[in-house]
Amino acid sequence: PMKVIPIPCLNDNFAYLLICPETNEAAVVDPSEYEPVFKEVQKRKVTLTTIFNTHHHWDHVGGNDELSRHFPGIKIHAHISDRDRVPGQTDFLEDGDFVQFGNQKGSILHNPGHTSGAITYLFGNMAFTGDTLFSGGCGRVFEGTMEQMHHSLNVKIGKLPDDTQLYFGHEYTENNLRFAQTLEPKNEDIQSQLTQIRKVRSEGKWSTPSLLSSERKINPFLRCHDQALQKHVIQKQPDTNLDPVSIFTVIRKLKDQF
Ligand code: FE
Ligand code: ZN
C-alpha cells in the first residue's frame, strides 16, 4: 500500500509525501515550500517524480519552482483551469481523470468553491482535500458560489465511503471545533473530539488524517441537514431558509467572522 508522510510547512500547512513501496518513487501533495519537502525526500531515500497541487494558492504551490529545478522533468499536476497560475504545471486535470506515480493509481474530484480549480486527489481510501475540507471545517469560499462549495463537500466528497482517510491542507482543527461547538453545544462527538485534539496538539502532534465517518458527526459543513444544528442557526438568524445550502451559507459567513 502507498505510504503517506505529512510534512508540516510554513505556520500550519501540510504537504504530504506519497511513497510507492514497489518502485521507491515519490510524489508530493501541495509543496508549500522547498526545504522541508527536500529534506524528507532525502531522509526517505526516494525518487521524487511528481507534484500534485490541490489549488493555485501560494501556500500550496510555493515549492513548485525550486523542486522542478532540483528534480528536472518532475511532473506537476493541477486542474486544467489553473493553467497559467500553477507554477510549472505539466498535467491539466479534469473531474474524474486518473493520475499515477510509480505503481500507484489515483483519480481526482473537481471541487470548485474555495477556488474555481480546487481538486481532491483520491488514492484508494485516502483523499487529499487541500483547502476544500478540513477536520471540523472547510475552506473559505473565495471563487465559487456557496452552492458549489456545498456540492463539492456534501455530494462529491460526501459520497465517498465512511472509511475514507482525509488528508487536509491546514492544521485548523482546534479552532474549527470551537466554532462547531457554538453551533451544536450539545453535540457530544464534538466535545470529545475537541478534548482529544487538544491532547494531541499539546503533545506536538497533528490532527491529520481524519476519518470521513467522524467528520460526518462533527463537521458543521457536512451537517447542514441536521435538525439540531438547523435549530441553532435559526436562533441566530431567524430569517434563514431551512434548506441545506441556505444553512451552509449562514454558517460559512459566521465562521468567516469567528
Ligand atoms: Fe487555499
Ligand atoms: Zn491553504
Side-chain angles (χ1 to χ4, degrees):
M2 187 178 88
K3 195 170 173 187
V4 182
I5 297 148
I7 307 173
C9 292
L10 303 173
N11 277 336
D12 50 33
N13 276 81
F14 293 116
Y16 296 100
L17 190 67
L18 317 183
I19 299 175
C20 173
E22 295 154 27
T23 64
N24 213 35
E25 281 173 59
V28 60
V29 177
D30 285 353
S32 317
E33 42 181 349
Y34 167 76
E35 198 65 33
V37 173
F38 180 71
K39 279 189 181 145
E40 199 64 42
V41 167
Q42 282 211 311
K43 183 175 147 196
R44 305 279 168 177
K45 299 184 168 62
V46 291
T47 307
L48 185 66
T49 62
T50 308
I51 293 173
F52 294 122
N53 290 129
T54 61
H55 64 296
H56 73 285
H57 284 160
W58 69 275
D59 60 317
H60 299 257
V61 304
N64 279 20
D65 279 338
E66 211 166 341
L67 284 169
S68 44
R69 275 200 294 280
H70 285 81
F71 300 94
I74 195 168
K75 293 191 150 223
I76 302 182
H77 297 69
H79 191 256
I80 185 167
S81 67
D82 277 339
R83 186 186 290 277
D84 299 328
R85 57 182 197 174
V86 166
Q89 187 173 357
T90 62
D91 286 68
F92 304 86
L93 304 173
E94 293 184 80
D95 192 42
D97 276 356
F98 295 100
V99 293
Q100 184 169 358
F101 75 98
N103 292 342
Q104 306 301 312
K105 295 188 170 93
S107 63
I108 72 137
L109 299 175
H110 184 207
N111 291 149
H114 178 63
T115 67
S116 50
I119 57 187
T120 288
Y121 292 90
L122 304 172
F123 287 89
N125 70 343
M126 294 174 257
F128 299 85
T129 59
D131 290 355
T132 297
L133 179 61
F134 300 128
S135 183
C138 72
R140 285 178 190 247
V141 179
F142 286 123
E143 294 182 352
T145 63
M146 292 290 182
E147 205 164 351
Q148 282 179 320
M149 188 65 163
H150 180 267
H151 185 85
S152 291
L153 289 164
N154 289 277
V155 179
K156 300 210 103 163
I157 294 175
K159 69 160 195 279
L160 297 173
D162 270 346
D163 70 346
T164 305
Q165 299 273 2
L166 301 160
Y167 291 86
F168 40 88
H170 290 268
E171 181 60 62
Y172 290 158
T173 310
E174 185 175 347
N175 180 270
N176 286 341
L177 291 174
R178 284 198 299 111
F179 173 72
Q181 233 177 8
T182 66
L183 300 175
E184 297 184 81
K186 292 185 179 142
N187 182 325
E188 288 176 9
D189 294 309
I190 294 174
Q191 281 172 27
S192 62
Q193 187 68 5
L194 190 52
T195 306
Q196 171 66 17
I197 289 306
R198 284 181 169 143
K199 182 165 173 287
V200 164
R201 295 294 295 138
S202 72
E203 292 164 353
K205 298 183 210 150
W206 311 293
S207 62
T208 187
S210 165
L211 263 182
L212 185 52
S213 57
S214 143
E215 291 303 315
R216 296 195 213 278
K217 296 181 195 156
I218 61 170
N219 191 324
F221 298 96
L222 299 180
R223 298 175 53 74
C224 296
H225 54 274
D226 182 85
Q227 287 196 350
L229 184 144
Q230 289 189 349
K231 239 180 156 175
H232 234 84
V233 171
I234 296 292
Q235 276 170 19
K236 287 180 198 270
Q237 308 253 328
D239 54 340
T240 310
N241 286 330
L242 277 180
D243 63 286
V245 175
S246 301
I247 298 287
F248 183 91
T249 304
V250 172
I251 64 176
R252 186 56 261 178
K253 285 180 177 161
L254 288 169
K255 180 64 171 66
D256 288 349
Q257 294 150 18
F258 182 71

